[in-house]
Amino acid sequence: MNLKQQIGLKVRAARLKRSLTQEQLAERVDKTAESISNIERGHVTPPLDTLARIAQELDTPMTFFFEDIGTPRAVARNRLELEHRLRSLGEELTDAELRLSVSIMEAIKTQSGNGDNSP
């Protein structure tokens, strides 16, 4: 996955966390919905000033869009989307809910054996 795609995934994750449509975000940052769509699909890299406005509107630090970039890990786009969604959900949980979630995930991993992607 390239830089444009990774940034796009993170923009999408942050937008969904705020329950905004592409159109709503576009209006807030003075861009078109098509521009936001192209960013999220990894077709274009937004200029830094646009990314800064997106970060501000999504109440997300700019660094979020660059976390884990360059990590030598080949991961499918769908998996990255799921990981971002999981991380986002975790941020909204209480400590007790987070502990329970971790316990459930550990049980799933233990039950599946080696933690591979088998059903």
Side-chain angles (χ1 to χ4, degrees):
M1 180 162 300
N2 65 36
L3 176 67
K4 291 187 285 191
Q5 292 170 322
Q6 288 181 327
I7 290 173
L9 279 175
K10 291 187 178 208
V11 168
R12 176 178 159 78
R15 176 181 61 78
L16 292 175
K17 181 178 180 181
R18 300 291 181 259
S19 300
L20 293 174
T21 65
Q22 289 179 340
E23 292 79 11
Q24 291 168 323
L25 178 58
E27 185 176 314
R28 291 179 182 200
V29 297
D30 197 28
K31 296 292 176 187
T32 65
E34 182 179 2
S35 294
I36 300 300
S37 175
N38 285 333
I39 291 168
E40 289 185 2
R41 289 182 291 141
H43 291 187
V44 298
T45 303
L48 285 178
D49 62 328
T50 299
L51 194 57
R53 289 199 325 255
I54 289 171
Q56 181 178 5
E57 287 300 324
L58 297 177
D59 193 29
T60 302
M62 279 279 284
T63 55
F64 169 75
F65 300 114
F66 299 98
E67 290 173 354
D68 303 324
I69 292 205
T71 306
R73 182 174 162 228
V75 179
R77 179 181 178 91
N78 185 49
R79 179 169 178 93
L80 277 178
E81 286 178 354
L82 290 171
E83 288 177 3
H84 287 300
R85 185 171 168 203
L86 185 61
R87 185 176 300 133
S88 178
L89 288 169
E91 291 171 357
E92 298 173 11
L93 298 176
T94 65
D95 288 352
E97 292 168 335
L98 189 57
R99 271 191 295 280
L100 177 60
S101 298
V102 168
S103 295
I104 291 168
M105 292 175 71
E106 288 172 340
I108 291 169
K109 184 170 170 43
T110 300
Q111 184 178 16
S112 69
N114 59 8
D116 65 10
N117 292 331
S118 303

